[in-house]
Amino acid sequence: MAASYDETTVEFRIHGRTLPRFEELLMGMRKRVACCCCWFLLGTLLTGPLFSAEETETAKPAAADSKIRLPSESPLTVQQLAKIADKAVVEITVTGRQGNRVGLGTGFVIEPDGLIATNLHVIAEARPITVKTSQGDSYPAEVVHASDRKLDLALIKIKAENLPALPLGDSDSVENGQPVIALGNPYGLNNSVVSGVISGTREIDGRNMLQLAIPIETGNSGGPLLDMRGRVLGLLTMKAQYTANLGFAMPVNALKKLIETPNPVPIERWLTIGALDPQEWTPHLGATWRQRSGRMTVEGTGSGFGGRSFVLSTAEVPELPYEVAVTLRLDDESGAAGLVFHSDGNDRHYGFYPSGARMRLTRFDGPDVLSWTILKHQYTPKYRAGDWNTIKVRIEEKRILCYVNDELVFESEDRGLTSGQVGLAKFRDTEAEFKNFQVAKSIPKTSIDPAVASRIEGVVGEIATTGPPSKPLVETLLPDSPASLTVLRRRAVKLEKQAAQLRKLADEVHQHATVAELVKTLTADEEQIDLLQAALLVAKLDNDELDPALYQKEINRMARGIQKDLPDDASESDKLAALNSAMFADLGYHGSRTNYYHKSNSYLNEVIDDREGLPISLSVLYMELARRIGLNVVGVGLPGHFIVRHEPQEGDSQLIDPFDGGKFLSRESAAMMLQANRGTTLTDEHLKTATKRDIVIRMLSNLLGLAQEEQDPEGMLRYVTAIVEVDNQAAQSRWIRAVLRFQTERRAAAAEDADWLLEHRPEGINLQRVEELRGILDRPR
């Protein structure tokens, strides 16, 4: 079920449960949390899954209860079976030669301790295997527990406990026409369910298989075939090429024989492609270390504390002094990976590596964080974030010298460890690449001569933006080809970053200009505010090519079309009937029911184009058309469902629902609508006229809710900024903006919002939380 949002307030609900407001979420921060932990907590406020403690409970059941229990021996419905069995179905992905995903299939847990059944062709051969459970946890396969090429069956083992496991049935007792269901991940669509029947048994390529009247697609392979009591009868294996609803499954009794006679292969032996040469490297503490094309890569989380894993070189370490170096690149600068030296082959070693875009020198004296000592940790401009960097350590008898791209950044006289092996290490879930690992008495500098670099920069300074490079230009750079390659690639990276920054700058300028225009539009007196223009400017926040003037003309044209068919003495009732007929019968405007939460329903220009929208966007259009033909129609901000009210010059007013084709509503029907949507009793306050500013803020709040659902902090910041600028006293929104600005690295702007809150001390804001945020912002980075 998609997340829903309240059009009136910044309140988010998922699966029917109201989520805490931002200020309530921040109350969970602990006063004594370290600065880095504060960052993590604040970051997850706006991007993590915001469920209640009940929904995020991760306590595991006792092992004895992990086998899935069937409610009874009576047949179950497809829905009941799917709900029960889905918990044991897993997604299996296989990594290819270049580190990309080359295979996707299904498996299912047969033992709570992580034994999983699948097809052999799903796990391929000699490839890293990753298993993702229905709970969203990912595990690398540690052992190929058993495999049979002829039967196309495999058992893999992951390091997990208390997993929900499916019971195995008896495939020898199946009957033709017996109803069954199959579960899998066709084309990556997780937890898909299909039902059908067993058509019979067939011998195919010397294998007895179950013939199924069930569609099997890419990604279904390895999934369980269940009888209507939830017992596994087979593994989905293959589909017929000539028809959509003919597939085959390997009988589960063949799998039972494999379980009884395993032939375990540790994953280290299974991974022959890209496997490390054991004569050169010895891995420790898990993770997946691979070597290919002169580069070493690592991915996955190590089994050491903090995700630590390391690989040691078997090369002989020279006598002191000596140097060890490597060139590395991290996939994410929040990670950490680099050099290891003076290692005892277990938990004791030094490490020199980038961590969070800062360089760190650490001594590890044991397996846990209490036995680690950070000797040095600081930022250096010599480290190029997102690029290849060469780090080097020179180990002398009485000191350790640490270099980044040939620049000395640390010097330490620590003597906690004095000898041992050298190698590479990674921490957390970092993915990293390494090349040019060296250990020697002395390692030459890798930096380019400044004069050469300057000359190359000069040659390519005015390079053309179209067409292939000219032959004279290539020949000019050839004499310094190694340096030319480095300089050109670094320049390309820099220009790409500059281009990205220019696009961000353009977005910021557009957003500020649009918000300023919106504020100007809404500062007029209520009667003079152009609501259509304001609503179009809300949409323009996300579309700098939108021209509100074109849509103004379109609405004027529509109004003239309604007006021309009315007699000069038309009554207000006649005009209202003509408006409803034109808008809903002739033009086909309607409420969006099948795609309610799409942003297009909140962009008034797209509502006009597509003739489909939300209650509030259709109401704005209705009000603006009504105004142009001489009707006084105002907005009514009914919680959860915006409506309008026609207020005639004479007679009683009439509630109208533009989302429902202009249907007239009585007060009683409005009360029933509110009770159904919010469980609230209707009052006169609910039916008061919404100001045009209120309407615009509500439209922005809808977009804010959608951005929250999409985990888009930049989008959230865009909408909440507009809300604050339109309503300078919107304290709740200002607090949300402070958190979002902090999360998106706009620390100075976040401080401005926090200072405003602390100065004005508005009601409803937990000022202690604001002070805590302000304290974090004052800390040095």
Side-chain angles (χ1 to χ4, degrees), residues 725-766:
E725 296 303 318
V726 168
D727 181 5
N728 192 253
Q729 301 302 309
Q732 300 277 3
S733 297
R734 191 179 291 271
W735 173 229
I736 295 171
R737 186 171 73 169
V739 175
L740 285 166
R741 283 176 161 179
F742 174 73
Q743 186 197 14
T744 57
E745 295 292 324
R746 297 169 171 89
R747 296 173 69 91
E752 290 177 4
D753 280 336
D755 289 342
W756 187 95
L757 292 167
L758 292 174
E759 177 184 350
H760 291 80
R761 309 183 73 80
E763 293 184 4
I765 297 294
N766 189 320

Side-chain angles (χ1 to χ4, degrees), residues 6-131:
D6 189 326
E7 292 177 317
T8 312
T9 62
V10 185
E11 179 180 274
F12 308 113
R13 296 182 303 282
I14 298 179
H15 297 292
R17 188 180 297 274
T18 300
L19 305 182
R21 298 177 184 272
F22 286 90
E23 68 276 7
E24 294 170 343
L25 291 167
L26 283 176
M27 288 179 67
M29 292 173 53
R30 296 184 178 180
K31 296 181 181 179
R32 298 180 181 178
V33 71
C35 182
C36 62
C37 294
C38 288
W39 166 252
F40 171 77
L41 287 171
L42 283 168
T44 56
L45 290 180
L46 303 183
T47 59
L50 306 179
F51 294 100
S52 69
E54 177 184 343
E55 291 170 305
T56 57
E57 180 60 54
T58 57
K60 296 179 179 178
D65 296 328
S66 295
K67 278 280 189 180
I68 289 179
R69 293 182 175 181
L70 303 175
S72 70
E73 285 300 312
S74 302
L76 305 176
T77 66
V78 172
Q79 294 91 334
Q80 289 172 326
L81 278 174
K83 185 175 181 180
I84 295 171
D86 268 352
K87 300 174 184 178
V89 177
V90 302
E91 177 187 283
I92 298 176
T93 55
V94 176
T95 305
R97 291 187 168 195
Q98 307 304 323
N100 58 316
R101 193 182 81 178
V102 295
L104 170 68
T106 305
F108 56 94
V109 181
I110 59 174
E111 290 295 340
D113 62 355
L115 189 61
I116 293 165
T118 188
N119 291 137
L120 180 60
H121 78 260
V122 167
I123 64 173
E125 293 188 60
R127 300 290 199 274
I129 306 162
T130 300
V131 173

Side-chain angles (χ1 to χ4, degrees), residues 13 638-641 643 665-683 686-687:
R13 296 182 303 282
L638 201 65
H641 193 98
I643 58 176
L665 299 174
S666 65
R667 184 184 176 99
E668 290 71 22
S669 57
M672 293 174 61
M673 180 185 294
L674 180 60
Q675 183 67 36
N677 288 336
R678 290 291 183 270
T680 303
T681 301
L682 183 71
T683 66
H686 292 130
L687 296 176

Side-chain angles (χ1 to χ4, degrees), residues 209-227:
M209 304 189 74
L210 302 177
Q211 180 182 325
L212 313 172
I214 288 180
I216 297 177
E217 301 297 345
T218 301
N220 270 132
S221 294
L225 178 74
L226 305 177
D227 66 15

Side-chain angles (χ1 to χ4, degrees), residues 119 121 151-153 207 209 212 216 220-223 234-239 247-251:
N119 291 137
H121 78 260
L151 297 178
D152 191 21
L153 292 176
R207 300 175 296 177
M209 304 189 74
L212 313 172
I216 297 177
N220 270 132
S221 294
L235 289 83
L236 304 181
T237 300
M238 56 189 291
K239 63 172 289 187
F248 296 90
M250 182 57 60

Side-chain angles (χ1 to χ4, degrees), residues 449-461 476-481 484:
D449 182 280
V452 175
S454 178
R455 186 178 69 81
I456 297 170
E457 289 277 7
V459 170
V460 300
T476 301
L477 297 172
L478 278 177
D480 299 305
S481 58
S484 297

Side-chain angles (χ1 to χ4, degrees), residues 388-399:
W388 287 100
N389 291 271
T390 298
I391 61 175
K392 181 175 73 173
V393 178
R394 179 174 176 80
I395 302 103
E396 299 179 351
E397 186 176 352
K398 294 184 178 180
R399 62 176 184 168

